[in-house]
């Protein structure tokens, strides 16, 4: 039962470009939407998160855009750097649950 | 290091043996989650526990898998009679409160290989 759908599965971007990863959710009860970053051999780590009462949140080069009516949210990485190369997971949460998307493997070419 | 500690980091078992994975949450965290990650795939929810209670085990196979988070000691994910399909990375995460109130802190995972 996949409650969070993430795309694309993989993404290649040139250094300095914009990386965009999209997610869609089904359960309108979700009320917390984080993005996690995972490097090979490591556990995921929180990157940025948003709640549905705002449409955008920005932290440095990372921005979440949230569209409540469409049940979609996206991660934008501005000025992408080779060090951003990792797997990114979106997630959606409610009181007793946090479900993750399938992940996007981002490669930023120098 | 006050982070989530998982051990063993790597575990090799033969088919039919038991695998026991341990997770010590961040000090003070009473909520623990287990996720499974297959190669090139995402994180699949398995179980959510609070101290001495299983809150949600809807993602855990009904047979051969069990989890506990005792009053004292680490959380344990136990897989009995392992099969090759159990080979995966198992991640534990912890939080101080319910999952929609903030960050889950992940360990570095336990990688199970079943021969």
């Amino acid at each position: 039962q996949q409650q969070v759908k993430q795309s694309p599965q993989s993404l290649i971007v040139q250094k300095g470009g914009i990386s965009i990863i999209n997610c869609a959710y089904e359960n309108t009860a979700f009320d917390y939407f984080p993005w996690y970053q995972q490097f090979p051999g490591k556990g995921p780590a929180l990157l940025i998160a948003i709640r549905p009462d705002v449409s955008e949140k920005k932290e440095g080069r990372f921005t979440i855009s949230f569209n409540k009516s469409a049940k979609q949210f996206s991660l934008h990485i501005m000025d992408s750097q080779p060090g951003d190369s990792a797997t990114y997971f979106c997630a959606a949460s409610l009181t007793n649950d946090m479900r993750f998307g399938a992940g996007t493997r981002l490669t930023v070419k120098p | 290091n006050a982070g989530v500690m998982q051990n063993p980091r790597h575990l090799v078992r033969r088919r039919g043996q038991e695998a026991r994975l341990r997770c010590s949450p961040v000090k003070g965290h009473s909520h623990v989650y287990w996720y499974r990650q297959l190669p090139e795939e995402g994180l699949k929810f398995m179980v959510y526990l609070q101290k001495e209670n299983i809150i949600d085990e809807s993602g855990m196979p009904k047979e051969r898998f069990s989890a506990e988070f005792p009053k004292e000691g680490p959380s344990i994910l136990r897989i009995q009679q392992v099969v090759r399909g159990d080979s995966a990375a198992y991640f534990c995460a912890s939080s101080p409160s319910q999952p929609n109130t903030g960050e889950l802190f992940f360990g570095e995972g336990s990688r199970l290989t079943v021969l």
Side-chain angles (χ1 to χ4, degrees):
Chain A
Q1 181 187 11
Q2 186 178 9
Q3 298 189 24
V4 182
K5 294 183 179 180
Q6 183 173 346
S7 63
Q9 192 172 28
S10 62
L11 180 61
I12 300 174
V13 173
Q14 290 294 130
K15 179 183 176 182
I18 302 174
S19 304
I20 301 174
I21 305 171
N22 300 298
C23 280
Y25 61 98
E26 299 169 0
N27 188 345
T28 55
F30 287 134
D31 60 0
Y32 178 68
F33 301 89
W35 285 88
Y36 281 78
Q37 180 188 55
Q38 184 182 29
F39 293 104
K42 300 294 185 180
L46 180 67
L47 187 64
I48 186 172
I50 197 169
R51 296 202 180 273
D53 53 345
V54 296
S55 60
E56 186 175 282
K57 183 174 182 180
K58 183 176 181 179
E59 290 183 0
R61 296 184 294 110
F62 301 91
T63 300
I64 300 178
S65 296
F66 187 83
N67 186 329
K68 188 173 181 179
S69 61
K71 294 189 287 185
Q72 295 176 346
F73 58 111
S74 60
L75 175 69
H76 295 234
I77 306 175
M78 312 299 288
D79 188 26
S80 299
Q81 299 297 312
D84 297 330
S85 297
T87 299
Y88 292 80
F89 295 96
C90 63
S93 178
L94 39 73
T95 305
N96 284 338
D97 208 350
M98 183 173 291
R99 301 299 169 116
F100 287 81
T104 296
R105 174 174 282 189
L106 171 65
T107 302
V108 181
K109 291 193 174 293
Chain B
N1 187 340
V4 175
M5 302 301 291
Q6 289 188 249
N7 66 82
R9 292 292 312 279
H10 300 274
L11 182 63
V12 178
R13 285 288 179 266
R14 296 193 179 277
R15 282 179 297 170
Q17 292 183 319
E18 178 180 290
R20 193 174 290 232
L21 310 178
R22 289 176 291 277
C23 169
S24 295
V26 173
K27 188 176 180 180
H29 286 191
S30 59
H31 300 247
V32 165
Y33 317 79
W34 286 93
Y35 290 85
R36 183 163 84 169
Q37 185 174 39
L38 292 167
E40 308 301 319
E41 291 191 14
L43 295 159
K44 301 293 186 186
F45 168 78
M46 297 184 73
V47 61
Y48 165 34
L49 310 104
Q50 292 182 30
K51 282 286 187 181
E52 300 184 275
N53 289 306
I54 296 175
I55 305 302
D56 182 354
E57 57 182 347
S58 59
M60 199 157 65
K62 299 262 187 295
E63 297 182 356
R64 303 190 298 109
F65 286 73
S66 62
E68 63 177 11
F69 188 18
K71 186 177 180 181
E72 300 291 338
S75 175
I76 305 288
L77 179 67
R78 183 182 177 204
I79 311 172
Q80 295 178 291
Q81 299 175 323
V82 296
V83 300
R84 288 217 174 105
D86 296 332
S87 296
Y90 293 84
F91 287 93
C92 170
S94 75
S95 67
S97 56
Q98 294 165 335
N100 63 339
T101 58
E103 181 177 359
L104 296 190
F105 293 80
F106 281 84
E108 297 203 327
S110 291
R111 282 154 182 83
L112 172 65
T113 301
V114 180
L115 302 178

